[in-house]
Amino acid sequence: MNAANLLAQIVVVALAVAAAPLFMAWVGQCRAWLANRRGPGLLQPYRVLRKLFHKDAVLATRASSLFRIAPYVQFGAMACAAAIIPLLGTDLPFATAADAIALVGLFAVARVFLALAAMDIGTAFGSLGARREMLVGFLAEPALLMVFFTASLIAHGTALPAMATAITGHPLAIYPSLAFAAVAFLMVLLAENARIPVDNPATHLELTMIHEAMVLEYSARHLALIEWSAALKLFNYCAIGFALFLPWGLPDRVGSGMLAALPVVALKFAAAGAGLALLETVSAKMRIFRAPEFLATAFLLAVLGLLVRLLLGS
Amino acid sequence: MLAVPPLWLAIGAAGLLRPRSLRLSALWLFPLGAAAAFVLAAASLAELAEPAQSLVLPLGLPDLPFHLRLDPLARFFLFLLGAAAGGVSLFAAGYFRKGEGTAPGLLCLQYHVFLAGMAMVLLADDAYLFMVAWEVMALSSFFLVTTQHRIAAIRSAGFLYLLLAHLGAISILLCFGVLQGGGWQFTFDAMRQAHLATPWSSVAFGLAVLGFGAKAGLVPVHVWLPEAHPAAPSPVSALMSGVMLKTAVYGLLRVSLDLLPQPQWWWGLALLGLGLFGALFGVIFAAVQTDMKRLLAYSSIENLGIIFGGLGLVLLFAASGHPLMAALALSATLYHCLNHAFFKSLLFLATGAVLHATGERSLGKLGGLIHRMPWVAWLALIGTLAIAGLPPLNGFVSEWLLLQAFLFTPQLPQPFVNMLVPLGAAALVLSAALAAYVMVKFYGVIFLGQPREPALARAHDCGRLERIGLSWLAAGCIALGLLPVPMLALLDAVVRQLLGTGLGTLAPWWRLAPVAVERASYSPPLFLLVGGAVTLGAAWLVHRLYHGRVRRAAAWDCGFPLQNARMQDTAEGFGQPIRQIFEPYFRMQRELPAPDDPRPAYRVTVEDRFWGALYLPAAAAAQATARLVGKLQQGRIAVYLLYSFVTLLALLVFVL
């Protein structure tokens, strides 16, 4: 681990942290265009974050310190995850510190802390949100792991760089098992990032919200960090999707190749954002108790992918 | 090391000197027992890799001396016993009070006899001593469970425990009977030489699974756990769940990998299926519990299910000629045993502290204790995160290792097994994810939110000794999470003893990469360093660039004016999604109020289907048989004389 690699790692994480709100804004802008609206522009999330950071934090009288540290833990977990995922290259030093299973564990840390914080004040909505979030989580997490397992059978290992290079290593290989996994992954991505059809990021209707119900009591810098880490989470999930299913264009060593990869990655994100917006525009939100069926389908699809890989070797 | 069990017995006997004195046992005997436990742990760990030592004690029956043996496997479990029991004993020193059933001195005796019994189970090298120690362990724990024997529910829980413990003991006895293979030598050495034929070794394995499974809470012989754990005082529940269940794992390891010849692949498959079914069963039932100790008891069923599943994987790999994968699975399984001893003891002790502070075991009457009991709450948080399998704590390490073992499944000779093993991985990740759900419920309902009863405002934090005990166990969770490589290197001696091959070198110390770094690696120290640096850096930057101002106000809650503690999710509410999703698995009874009921009450009870399907029919059959036999007993002397006469006649007919 030399200085150049370390520097590259820090730059990549900083880039991910900085670009995540932009990606969120891009999805929102596409949705606005699809709904024939003008949209708030790409800089809106940054303005919101700036406003929130300047405000005084208002804490409920009953809040304990767990409530105050949870946003930082969540933000730290998401930034840490950005370091694990091969976003701009497969040779970054932190990739060996954690593999795909540890990455899922990291997402679970963020989720558990946020759910605990939501229960901390003891309001009706907080505990409702925590319960629903854990409900989504306990179904989405195994599905995500099964997606990783399918890829790991192709790559012979659970390290993310190995998964990314295993697919690019065979230029003409088409894996039906990965197609199952990709569909499952997309469903998990929608559920885990509180998108339609599982949750609606724009809603504040109390009975339907999941993520928003958990963060109702947060304000100012804590809320800013939560919003930022939610954006970073979506960004990370998309980056995982690229690493697993569209890994072309990732340089395998640190250097100027990473600069060249930047436009390719940006293009992938732009396309993914537009696709996500389209998907959200054409689908309707489900009732909360349809969510388990949705996620169970994702889980079964991922298991099917695994079996296809094992039985047919394809 | 061998001096520790007699020392525990002496400490216990000393408690009888002044059975009514709390000061003697709390200030001297329990801390002394804890010191002995720590010595045992340190000595076992230091000598873990030493060659096996045997010893014959001239005790016991004539011609049947006690054989003792210290090998890496026994030392590992002795380490587990010492490390967990040390923390529990320290806690117990501050925990037991006067006026709670059994007198303190007597309790001290039972407690230390229990500890010595567990140690002797691990040391025994012949079936005779093993069974004696096993029974000592079972009986002393029975008396500990029924400490508050004046309560009828606790007596019946104790009876159920005793019944299943003896069913298990009979099965183990029969297993040893098969294992001796006709040589009528009951030392373990003779059993190793017996070379059983395959059908008989399969019978022995089945009996061992049933016998040790009954002790470990393997489904379907798990029913005593959710009854006995809540009944017992918390340090006893901690010991039973953290350590005693592991003696059953030890027993099965000893029989299946040491005493029996080459394992069969289908043993592994059967055990894998049973274990993973138990894991899912336990965690689903844990999610719907409303009593905090029952919840933890079901969680123990889950964790032991994972351990048995891992053991099944070991047997499967070992039988199919993949020693390296077997070594990986065995390391993961042993590591999980150790982890479970730490975090489950920690959580049981935390529930004990809550119980003492509030007098409540029901989750529906707790809440908000993080403000009144900060020590217990923050230490319990570590246990909660560890048991939920979150990095960088210890629960994650064993889960990670086990998943690696599942994923690197080589080509097994049986094609359909190849297909079933990844499904096992799916079941494992599902139960691990559900465990996180359960633990959020456990922690959130007890420690977070608003107090659900006014009496909770008087709750107090635990005392100094209790804090030390809890801190030790929490520190163990952290250390095992951050430094898995040195611990696994120590475990290698055990793995090599049982399987012949170990994992090999695991260097460097900070990175866990059991197969190859390019394939899978996990580095907890680096993980914590980077995660911690990013988190603290973010906090520092935010405060530096902006400000750290905080105002306090009433909770917002979407502007609803009426907010009280009753509006929070209850334990039932938090478990409701699980009840709905997994409805067919439960035997559920709902009582809904009528629409015009002036005092509406809603009640739902969730029961185990095994009760209705297995235990109640078995109990009914036993009673019917007893009634049939009872018909022979007329109570009239003429009838009994008739019986003697008929017997004599029958014998005469046979003999002549």
Side-chain angles (χ1 to χ4, degrees):
Chain A
M1 194 191 298
N2 57 29
N5 283 12
L6 202 62
L7 191 69
Q9 178 79 74
I10 293 172
V11 168
V12 167
V13 173
L15 196 67
V17 170
L22 184 67
F23 179 59
M24 204 67 150
W26 168 246
V27 177
Q29 189 67 38
C30 289
R31 280 182 69 176
W33 283 334
L34 284 167
N36 223 357
R37 289 185 283 118
R38 198 167 347 126
L42 290 179
L43 292 180
Q44 184 60 20
Y46 296 100
R47 292 188 205 111
V48 171
L49 287 179
R50 183 160 167 273
K51 178 188 79 180
L52 286 175
F53 275 124
H54 273 292
K55 288 194 164 194
D56 281 11
V58 182
L59 284 181
T61 38
R62 292 190 297 265
S64 70
S65 2
L66 186 69
F67 187 77
R68 297 177 69 171
I69 59 174
Y72 297 102
V73 172
Q74 204 202 5
F75 186 80
M78 289 307 154
C80 210
I84 298 171
I85 301 163
L87 175 68
L88 273 179
T90 54
D91 187 36
L92 290 172
F94 193 61
T96 58
D99 65 344
I101 303 174
L103 180 66
V104 176
L106 202 52
F107 286 135
V109 170
R111 173 169 49 239
V112 165
F113 263 91
L114 203 58
L116 287 177
M119 294 181 84
D120 185 45
I121 293 181
T123 58
F125 289 125
S127 44
L128 174 139
R131 178 194 346 147
R132 290 180 172 174
E133 171 77 4
M134 292 312 290
L135 170 69
V136 169
F138 97 77
L139 288 162
E141 190 183 305
L144 181 60
L145 270 174
M146 295 321 280
V147 170
F148 279 131
F149 290 174
T150 310
S152 81
L153 286 185
I154 294 170
H156 302 292
T158 53
L160 280 159
M163 293 182 188
T165 45
I167 298 168
T168 42
H170 307 93
L172 281 176
I174 295 172
Y175 296 100
S177 53
L178 276 187
F180 282 109
V183 176
F185 178 77
L186 184 64
M187 294 167 88
V188 171
L189 182 147
L190 293 174
E192 280 276 53
N193 289 287
R195 314 300 297 188
I196 292 173
V198 176
D199 190 4
N200 185 350
T203 186
H204 277 92
L205 177 62
E206 294 89 351
L207 293 178
T208 60
M209 58 192 175
I210 301 178
H211 180 80
E212 287 299 317
M214 284 199 298
V215 303
L216 269 180
E217 300 297 327
Y218 275 113
S219 60
R221 56 175 181 274
H222 302 131
L223 184 60
L225 282 171
I226 286 177
E227 300 273 322
W228 202 341
S229 31
L232 197 50
K233 188 176 181 185
L234 182 63
F235 188 86
N236 281 336
Y237 263 87
C238 288
I240 295 172
F242 300 148
L244 289 187
F245 307 112
L246 302 166
W248 289 277
L250 278 187
D252 57 358
R253 58 175 55 87
V254 171
S256 57
M258 288 170 69
L259 274 182
L262 206 52
V264 182
V265 172
L267 205 65
K268 286 182 194 171
F269 270 103
L276 187 62
L278 185 67
L279 205 64
E280 283 198 283
T281 309
V282 298
S283 48
K285 191 188 166 303
M286 295 182 298
R287 279 178 62 221
I288 181 81
F289 269 104
R290 297 290 301 283
E293 289 171 29
F294 180 80
L295 286 163
T297 312
F299 183 59
L300 288 181
L301 275 175
V303 173
L304 212 58
L306 194 66
L307 288 181
V308 165
R309 171 71 200 158
L310 271 172
L311 293 186
L312 310 177
S314 56
Chain B
M1 212 186 297
L2 291 177
V4 171
L7 183 62
W8 273 333
L9 287 179
I11 292 171
L16 283 185
L17 290 178
R18 299 179 61 192
R20 301 260 156 225
S21 159
L22 183 66
R23 284 173 56 88
L24 176 69
S25 62
L27 283 181
W28 293 101
L29 298 179
F30 274 103
L32 201 60
F38 286 128
V39 168
L40 178 70
S44 317
L45 196 62
E47 294 177 10
L48 196 64
E50 304 276 313
Q53 299 163 308
S54 298
L55 187 70
V56 181
L57 289 185
L59 291 171
L61 297 177
D63 291 341
L64 270 177
F66 286 162
H67 294 77
L68 302 183
R69 189 171 130 111
L70 264 175
D71 55 8
L73 178 64
R75 287 197 195 100
F76 167 71
F77 279 91
L78 283 170
F79 164 67
L80 185 153
L81 165 67
V88 177
S89 292
L90 278 178
F91 183 91
Y95 181 84
F96 287 122
R97 311 275 158 90
K98 257 187 182 161
E100 294 192 349
T102 312
L106 195 54
L107 202 63
C108 174
L109 175 70
Q110 292 165 357
Y111 181 92
H112 287 99
V113 168
F114 181 40
L115 286 181
M118 289 195 283
M120 289 314 288
V121 165
L122 303 175
L123 286 169
D125 195 34
D126 63 282
Y128 173 51
L129 176 59
F130 188 94
M131 289 314 297
V132 169
W134 189 260
E135 284 300 306
V136 166
M137 179 177 91
L139 286 179
S140 54
S141 56
F142 164 73
F143 285 116
L144 285 167
V145 166
T146 53
T147 299
Q148 302 202 4
H149 47 81
R150 288 194 177 81
I151 302 169
I154 288 184
R155 281 200 306 273
S156 73
F159 175 72
L160 182 66
Y161 169 51
L162 199 63
L163 187 70
L164 275 166
H166 280 93
L167 272 181
I170 290 171
S171 183
I172 295 169
L173 197 63
L174 290 176
C175 167
F176 284 136
V178 175
L179 276 175
Q180 51 84 23
W184 301 105
Q185 286 291 314
F186 286 92
T187 60
F188 285 171
D189 238 2
M191 292 180 188
R192 281 185 201 103
Q193 314 298 334
H195 299 298
L196 286 185
T198 309
W200 282 112
S201 64
S202 297
V203 169
F205 178 76
L207 286 168
V209 169
L210 178 65
F212 292 116
K215 190 57 112 188
L218 192 66
V219 176
V221 273
H222 63 283
V223 285
W224 65 271
L225 269 127
E227 306 300 326
H229 279 59
S234 291
V236 176
S237 321
L239 269 191
M240 285 173 66
S241 189
V243 187
M244 189 185 74
L245 303 187
K246 308 307 172 334
T247 60
V249 176
Y250 162 82
L252 192 58
L253 273 173
R254 177 66 80 194
V255 169
S256 58
L257 287 172
D258 188 18
L259 302 185
L260 280 173
Q262 177 69 12
Q264 304 291 314
W265 64 268
W266 62 267
W267 299 357
L269 193 64
L271 197 57
L272 182 67
L274 265 180
L276 290 176
F277 175 73
L280 276 175
F281 176 91
V283 75
I284 290 171
F285 271 83
V288 296
Q289 296 307 311
T290 54
D291 175 318
M292 56 181 178
K293 291 179 84 179
R294 275 179 86 91
L295 184 147
L296 289 182
Y298 274 111
S299 156
S300 288
I301 295 177
E302 180 225 342
N303 279 287
L304 267 290
I306 290 175
I307 289 170
F308 275 95
L311 211 51
L313 207 57
V314 175
L315 292 175
L316 191 59
F317 287 146
S320 322
H322 295 287
L324 192 63
M325 298 320 296
L328 181 59
L330 184 57
S331 303
T333 308
L334 292 174
Y335 210 85
H336 199 67
C337 286
L338 198 53
N339 290 340
H340 185 245
F342 275 92
F343 53 58
K344 191 50 70 65
S345 305
L346 172 60
L347 291 177
F348 263 121
L349 295 183
T351 61
V354 169
L355 190 60
H356 257 188
T358 64
E360 276 301 337
R361 238 172 45 199
S362 163
L363 289 170
K365 298 191 172 169
L366 294 166
L369 290 175
I370 194 170
H371 300 286
R372 305 290 312 168
M373 311 178 70
W375 273 89
V376 177
W378 287 98
L379 291 171
L381 181 64
I382 294 174
T384 306
L385 298 177
I387 200 172
L390 298 181
L393 293 168
N394 60 352
F396 180 76
V397 176
S398 44
E399 197 184 301
W400 189 86
L401 283 170
L402 203 54
L403 283 176
Q404 295 296 341
F406 268 109
L407 285 184
F408 286 112
T409 305
Q411 285 300 309
L412 296 172
Q414 298 80 18
F416 80 98
V417 179
N418 263 334
M419 198 174 75
L420 286 177
V421 168
L423 290 185
L428 180 65
V429 295
L430 192 59
S431 61
L434 264 166
Y437 186 100
V438 172
M439 291 330 287
V440 166
K441 165 180 164 172
F442 171 82
Y443 191 83
V445 174
I446 297 177
F447 292 107
L448 303 177
Q450 307 179 46
R452 288 180 177 78
E453 294 285 319
L456 297 184
R458 290 192 302 275
H460 55 83
D461 213 343
C462 59
R464 197 188 313 135
L465 278 172
E466 295 167 78
R467 284 179 203 172
I468 298 173
L470 288 174
S471 308
W472 161 255
L473 294 170
C477 290
I478 295 173
L480 285 171
L482 288 183
L483 299 170
V485 180
M487 194 63 220
L488 283 172
L490 284 169
L491 279 185
D492 220 33
V494 186
V495 175
R496 260 184 282 119
Q497 182 207 342
L498 292 180
L499 295 171
T501 29
L503 279 180
T505 52
L506 287 158
W509 65 270
W510 47 271
R511 186 170 60 202
L512 186 58
V515 186
V517 184
E518 319 81 70
R519 290 177 148 205
S521 59
Y522 166 56
S523 164
L526 196 58
F527 193 86
L528 182 68
L529 187 74
V530 173
V534 175
T535 308
L536 292 177
W540 182 78
L541 269 180
V542 167
H543 284 82
R544 181 87 201 169
L545 291 178
Y546 299 97
H547 57 85
R549 288 195 295 273
V550 162
R551 277 192 289 136
R552 292 275 179 175
W556 180 51
D557 202 24
C558 276
F560 278 75
L562 181 71
Q563 299 177 15
N564 65 38
R566 293 267 152 222
M567 296 171 115
Q568 305 172 85
D569 255 15
T570 54
E572 289 89 346
F574 211 88
Q576 188 262 352
I578 304 290
R579 268 206 326 268
Q580 184 160 352
I581 296 172
F582 296 100
E583 195 171 355
Y585 298 87
F586 304 119
R587 208 166 65 142
M588 213 170 356
Q589 286 173 328
R590 278 208 191 90
E591 281 173 27
L592 298 174
D596 53 353
D597 198 339
R599 296 177 60 86
Y602 172 82
R603 207 171 66 87
V604 56
T605 50
V606 175
E607 274 182 40
D608 197 333
R609 278 197 181 276
F610 281 103
W611 268 113
L614 192 62
Y615 286 88
L616 296 181
Q623 272 196 334
T625 323
R627 227 174 281 123
L628 271 182
V629 175
K631 283 199 176 131
L632 293 175
Q633 292 179 322
Q634 298 288 335
R636 294 220 307 261
I637 198 128
V639 179
Y640 291 127
L641 282 175
L642 184 69
Y643 290 157
S644 314
F645 180 67
V646 172
T647 316
L648 257 179
L649 266 186
L651 281 175
L652 276 174
V653 168
F654 270 113
V655 175
L656 298 179

